Amino acid sequence: MNVLITGGTGFIGRALAQHLTRQGHAVTVLSRNPDKVAAICGPGVAALGDLKQLKAEDAYQVIINLAGEPIFDARWTEARKKRIRDSRINLTGQLIDGIERMAVKPDVLISGSAIGYYGDQGDTVLTEQSAPNPDFSHRLCADWEQAAQKAEQFGVRVCLIRTGLVIAAGGGLLKRLLLPFRLGLGGRLGSGRQWMSWIHREDWIAIAQAMITDTSMQGAYNATAPHPVSNLEFTQTLARCLNRPALLPVPAGLLKILLGEMSELVLGSQRVMPERLLAQGFEFQYPDLASALRQALDRT
């Protein structure tokens, strides 16, 4: 199959591009730096510099939309929040315009979202049917999903993948935490009672693979492991895997001063269950945190 990935040079996207290439698919990655795509994603991966280059004769059976400005790289000023929104919603709109121009439409659009869709919900168990708590993260994800669903008007099957905290070697959450934890400077954030819903990158890729091949899959799916943990449990498990103490908690007040509104990403609580995936019989390779962390640390 011909597959187009936006955001294909990112932490998830590059691993997905490599996986699909190994399976024999022809993969094209959208990038602002097309000359770097082959070096990042592999020599067999083609590059597209701009969605406006999509033409009527282009034929992609699968489009996977992961593009977006990093959400945790800088403090959330109003200008920063606008960039985060525009990089997701405006680009998705351009993608829909490209699909409209195609003479042969894709079979499926898999579009990124996040468990931030649900907002801060404390100890409430959240499924795909749960009502959200409106905040910036919810509005961002909801508008992003709404933009992607416009592909349905062209007969395209749309799957929305609400991703939790992604664990794997070489990037994501683990990369940010490794240095302080290896130095014995790790600890819970705030009270430590907030829930963290996570997923190993290999399971995420398996979910995307299932969405490609299973034509019954449509709508929103929580891409999270079936065993979410509290921040305290996450901290203790990571420290055990590294044989280090975790004795230095970071007070919530300090996080709010340092991060401002962005502190909701680390202090907010989302206890998310992958209800729809489990109902369809999806089997997680890394269902528990310790096995996911051990695999990732072995590759670090």
Side-chain angles (χ1 to χ4, degrees), residues 17 50 69 99 157 165 229 232 238 275:
D50 194 319
E69 193 82 13
I99 290 173
R157 179 169 60 91
L165 298 164
V229 297
L232 177 61
L238 178 56
E275 184 176 72

Side-chain angles (χ1 to χ4, degrees), residues 41 80 93 134 156 160 188 192 195 205 212 236 263:
C41 300
R80 176 69 181 170
V156 179
L160 306 167
R188 60 175 169 79
W195 287 89
I205 290 171
I212 291 171
Q236 293 173 336
S263 63

Side-chain angles (χ1 to χ4, degrees), residues 213-281:
T213 57
D214 186 346
T215 58
S216 72
M217 296 183 74
Q218 190 164 1
Y221 291 83
N222 292 332
T224 59
H227 300 293
V229 297
S230 69
N231 175 261
L232 177 61
E233 183 178 348
F234 188 100
T235 297
Q236 293 173 336
T237 304
L238 178 56
R240 276 199 307 274
C241 289
L242 292 168
N243 295 312
R244 295 290 189 274
L247 303 175
L248 295 174
V250 184
L254 178 59
L255 286 167
K256 290 176 181 178
I257 292 170
L258 293 174
L259 302 178
E261 186 181 358
M262 191 170 65
S263 63
E264 70 184 42
L265 292 178
V266 294
L267 296 175
S269 180
Q270 287 132 4
R271 189 179 184 181
V272 179
M273 292 297 295
E275 184 176 72
R276 294 193 68 199
L277 288 172
L278 293 174
Q280 291 192 230

Side-chain angles (χ1 to χ4, degrees), residues 65 89 92-93 95-96 99 109-113 117 141-162 218-221 276:
N65 179 33
I89 297 160
T92 301
L95 184 59
I96 300 303
I99 290 173
L109 167 63
I110 300 170
S111 195
S113 185
Y117 175 90
C141 293
D143 291 347
W144 195 11
E145 291 182 6
Q146 187 176 28
Q149 286 177 306
K150 291 180 181 178
E152 293 176 344
Q153 67 187 300
F154 305 116
V156 179
R157 179 169 60 91
V158 176
C159 293
L160 306 167
I161 187 161
R162 293 176 181 165
Q218 190 164 1
Y221 291 83
R276 294 193 68 199

Side-chain angles (χ1 to χ4, degrees), residues 51 54 90 92-102 154:
L51 287 174
L54 290 175
N90 290 358
T92 301
Q94 293 173 26
L95 184 59
I96 300 303
D97 291 342
I99 290 173
E100 184 177 11
R101 291 194 298 273
M102 293 178 185
F154 305 116

Side-chain angles (χ1 to χ4, degrees), residues 1-4 20-21 23-28 44-46 59-62:
M1 290 187 296
N2 290 332
V3 182
L4 173 64
L20 292 172
T21 302
Q23 288 196 324
H25 301 300
V27 178
T28 300
V45 177
Y60 294 103
Q61 288 76 44
V62 177

